[in-house]
């Protein structure tokens, strides 16, 4: 399924469950964010090492069993 198809099916699911007006209201509440996600991600991950990543992943896996 392409991203476009996924988006279309998602909209269809919302409309079928919420109706057109409530779907619009829901989407308005969700907002689309602001800022530059790519730049923010680079800044946040600049100090993260691979070892940090793997340690965090191990902790998550141990927690979730």
């Amino acid at each position: 399924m392409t991203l476009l198809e996924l988006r279309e099916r998602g909209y269809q699911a919302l409309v079928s469950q919420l109706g057109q007006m409530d779907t619009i209201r829901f989407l308005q509440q969700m907002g689309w964010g602001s800022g530059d996600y790519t730049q923010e991600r680079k800044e946040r991950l600049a100090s993260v090492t691979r070892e940090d990543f793997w340690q965090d992943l191990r902790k998550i896996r141990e927690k979730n069993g």
Side-chain angles (χ1 to χ4, degrees):
M1 177 181 322
T2 68
L3 292 178
L4 185 59
E5 291 169 329
L6 177 62
R7 183 179 301 157
E8 178 64 25
R9 289 180 70 181
Y11 287 144
Q12 290 172 0
L14 285 171
V15 171
S16 71
Q17 292 297 309
L18 300 175
Q20 289 181 347
M21 292 306 295
D22 285 336
T23 294
I24 292 169
R25 291 175 56 214
F26 172 76
L27 292 173
Q28 287 173 334
Q29 286 182 351
M30 294 303 295
W32 299 106
S34 63
D36 184 342
Y37 169 76
T38 302
Q39 184 61 35
E40 290 176 13
R41 186 184 75 218
K42 286 179 183 177
E43 291 171 2
R44 289 182 185 177
L45 297 178
S47 63
V48 177
T49 65
R50 284 186 184 197
E51 187 57 35
D52 292 336
F53 170 80
W54 289 114
Q55 285 178 358
D56 289 347
L57 184 59
R58 282 187 213 106
K59 289 177 187 176
I60 292 168
R61 287 181 175 171
E62 288 172 3
K63 179 183 169 189
N64 293 332

